Each structure stands twice: as structure tokens, then as C-alpha cells.
Amino acid sequence: MALSREQIAQRVAQELKDGYYVNLGIGIPTLVANYIPQDIEVMLQSENGLLGMGLFPTIDEIDADLINAGKQTVTMVKGASIFDSAESFAMIRGGHVDLTVLGAFEVDANGNIASYMIPGKLIKGMGGAMDLVAGAENIIVTMTHASKHGVSKLLKNCTLPLTGRACIKKVLTDLAFMEIKDGKFHLLERAPGVSVEEIIKLTEGELVVSGDIPEMKL
Amino acid sequence: MAGFDKVVASYEEALAGLTDNMTVIAGGFGLCGIPENLISEIKRKGTKGLTLVSNNCGVDDFGLGMLLPNRQIKKIIASYVGENAEFERQMMAGELEVELTPQGTLAEKMRAGGAGIPAFFTATGVGTPVAEGKEVRSFNGRDYILEEAIIGDFAIVKAWKADRYGNLVFRKTARNFNPLAATAGKITVVEVEEIVEVGSLDPDQIHTPGIYVDRLIQGNFEKRIEQRTTRPADLHEVKGT
């Protein structure tokens, strides 16, 4: 079975380590906040200028001056800090954020990512995604492995305009967890009940399968 | 105006001298911390052909989106747009020029503009459409592109509190691009929720020193919320989130 959005978030959360500063993108990455292990401390960075993002507010706590990068009302945890946008991206570009999780339309075997623009359709913009992929050492891309019609999104070469070049090393899809190195995808884990053959069939870029590939533990 | 007193009497006075085809830098992220009354004043004045520099362009009937129906914006430099239907229509029809700029690069362009730095190298955008036509240089084995600073004829800023000298304090994530915009205007106009007496703000707690501020006015704010997300009242803090 392919992983649900929640299950993708659960698997990403296993990559969190105690003391990590983490930036979570919009969509599935946001859900990761719900699965942070109880025994570690993680600080969430929101690129509009907040380190230490908390839960959504109760109705009584809603504050128009306190939102996240998805423009949703949020709260702050104890020990949070606030800063301007240049400072926020100094943290990001300067490599101070330990882990970035973001979505994509396409990723290719050279670590290129396309996530912000489909020519001919409405172009909304890259927001902070280009800065995040350029600045972070440790990035996990979460995405679906293929389109509804079975067209692979893990390609030899991205077809859409790039968000970043040669910057992605880890991809988690609804079918598989992969590492990118030496111009190839390397299969690390498969979703429970998904066969290696299914993953190979839906991966256009070269996929290295070595030995037995374990199922993800959720 | 006397000495360092930056307070003006009206919004009309606050934006006096803003004319067609100028460049205006605006603070705000989404609808959070936008100079909403100064934007309304631009709409009222009917100034046209503006180049706007702002992270976003508001929604249909609020924020910078209010300047769209009368075609007051010629060009927008932003990182994320398209939260409004009229914007989409004008962009697709080629009536509105859009220069998409990565959010961190946009912030740094304002910071550099205000700090007297004409351009800077960044890895953001290398190998993407953003890099087209820009100088690429390698430092320590990595490619960077040259991005130029932005200076506005006007900067419009929203702060929480100010003293009459224009020393500013922002509140929570309504800070965002505002302090950067404040540095990068030839004329910087700030609207605040409260103006306090000089000396009542702690110098250690001032976010933007008054030297950057030319005009100051107190306004009333709607502070519209774009995505009102809540949790049930009985759900308490979860560790680490």
C-alpha cells in the first residue's frame, strides 16, 4: 500500500534528532510537526520570521500578528524568537537550519528539484523554496512517486523549471525512501506492502537496488 | 516638523510627493504587518504606473490587491503572488509585469539597498530561471549569482509602536519585511498603532532606529487574517511542537 500523507509525515519524523532546528514546508511537511517523538526537543523555523513555532491557537489565542509561512495563525513555544526576513534567510542560507522538509513536482537523479512553476499554468512563485534548497545541507523532499496516471516524478532530468540545482540528497515518496548520489537514485526502504518491482516501474531515473530492501517501520 | 519629530497630520501628507511611475517598497508578509492605510491612500490618490516591491500582492479586496482594479501597478517584484483573481487576470493578459524573486533574495535586496551595498552574490537561484542574465561567479568551488540591491522612491511600513522621533518597535511576525523596507526608501513612511513620547521606549528594545524614518502617522488597523487556523481549547501544548 502506498503511504498516506500522514504516514509520509510519520516516516519523516523519524529523521528528526534532539536539538534540531527544522524548517517544514507547506503541505505534507507541515504534518511532520504532529509526529515529533516525545523524547526529543525540536525547534520549528518559519521563514516569515519565527523560530519556535507552536500549535495552532485556540479561538481565544488568535493573533493576526502571529502567523507562519503558510499565512496560518499559530502560537509560539517557550523560548521562541522573532526576527525580520533578512535575518530569517541568513539562518537558512547560512546553513544554520539542521533539516528542511519540502514538497516537489519533480526530482531527478542529479539532485535537481522542480517545485514552484508549471509553465502555461498559473505561476504563483517560489516563496522561500529556492533559498531553502540552496542553503540547507540536509533536505528531505516529500512527494508522490508518480502522477495519478502512473507517470514517474523521479526523473532522469527534470522537465519543469528548477527550484534548485544538484541540492537534493533524500526523497521520501508514498512508495519509497531513496538517497540520491552519483547521478542515481538508491532505494533505501519501501512502503509496507509495496514491491521493489513496482518502485522500479515508477522510477524513470536510474534506480540502484542493492540487497534486500527493508519495509519502512511506521 | 520640528527637529526629529517625524509625525505628520494626515495620510495625504504622509504620501505627499508620491507620483506616477515611482518605485514603492512595502513591508508585510501575506496580510500580516501590511501598511494597510498607506495602501488605501495610494488607491485614493490614484497614482499609476507604480513598480511595487513586496513579498506578496495582497488579496482581491485588501492590501496591495486593492491597487489592481484601477491598474495602478505596472510591475511587481515579489516572491509569491496569485492569491487574488484580478492579479491572475492581469498577469495572464500581460497587463501586469511580474518579477518573481526568491524570498530571501528579496529581503537581502532591500537590506543591501538600505545599507549602501549595490549588489551581492547568493547561491539562491543558481541553475534556475532566476539566474538568467545574471553574472555567475565561483567562490570556494560553488557557484553564486549576482543580485542587485533595491531602493524605493518611497517605502511604506507598518510598525506596532513608535516614538515621535520614528524609533520603531514591531510586534511578533508582523515584523517580517518591514524593518528592511524601512531602510530602503528614499522617503520612508511608517504607520503605527501607537505613538508614544520620546524617551518612553527602551533604547535596547528598538528594532528600527528613527534615522531611517521620514514620516510617521498613527492609524487604525483592520489586521485581516488570511488563514484562520485553530485548535480545540482542550488541546494543550504538545512537547516539541
Side-chain angles (χ1 to χ4, degrees), chain B residues 125-142:
Chain B
V126 169
T128 77
V130 166
E132 280 167 22
K134 290 174 186 161
E135 182 184 338
V136 179
R137 200 184 297 178
S138 182
F139 296 93
N140 302 315
R142 188 172 186 196

Side-chain angles (χ1 to χ4, degrees), chain A residues 33 36 38 40 42 55-57 61 63 65 67 71-73 77 85 89 93 124 126-127 131 134 162 165, chain B residues 79-81 100 103-104 122 124 128-129 142-143 171-174 176-177 223 227 229-231 239-241:
Chain A
I36 297 169
Q38 289 292 311
I40 66 170
V42 165
L55 302 173
F56 289 151
E61 289 171 342
D63 184 341
D65 288 341
I67 64 168
K71 299 162 192 166
Q72 298 169 311
T73 47
V77 298
S85 299
F89 283 93
R93 246 190 269 100
K124 290 197 171 188
M126 67 292 283
D131 305 278
L162 296 184
R165 189 178 74 187
Chain B
S79 87
Y80 191 84
V81 293
L100 290 175
Q103 197 175 132
T122 177
T124 302
T128 77
R142 188 172 186 196
D143 285 348
R171 184 172 177 276
K172 298 185 178 172
T173 56
N176 56 62
F177 283 85
K223 292 200 189 182
Q227 307 270 355
T229 46
T230 58
R231 72 172 196 275
K239 187 173 179 294
T241 62

Side-chain angles (χ1 to χ4, degrees), chain A residues 122-214:
Chain A
L122 178 62
I123 297 153
K124 290 197 171 188
M126 67 292 283
M130 281 193 181
D131 305 278
L132 283 160
V133 298
E137 185 57 34
N138 190 11
I139 304 168
I140 299 176
V141 173
T142 60
M143 60 194 293
T144 51
H145 208 98
S147 74
K148 273 178 268 184
H149 310 293
V151 178
S152 180
K153 298 179 180 179
L154 299 168
L155 307 173
K156 288 191 180 79
N157 293 295
C158 287
T159 61
L160 297 169
L162 296 184
T163 307
R165 189 178 74 187
C167 53
I168 304 303
K169 293 179 190 133
K170 289 178 192 162
V171 184
L172 176 66
T173 71
D174 52 342
L175 303 183
F177 190 32
M178 289 152 294
E179 193 179 8
I180 299 172
K181 59 180 179 188
D182 308 325
K184 298 178 182 100
F185 293 102
H186 296 255
L187 186 58
L188 302 177
E189 296 175 20
R190 57 199 168 84
V194 172
S195 70
V196 169
E197 289 67 34
E198 278 176 82
I199 296 166
I200 291 171
K201 200 178 87 187
L202 291 171
T203 308
E204 187 213 86
E206 189 174 342
L207 181 69
V208 176
V209 182
S210 54
D212 280 343
I213 303 300

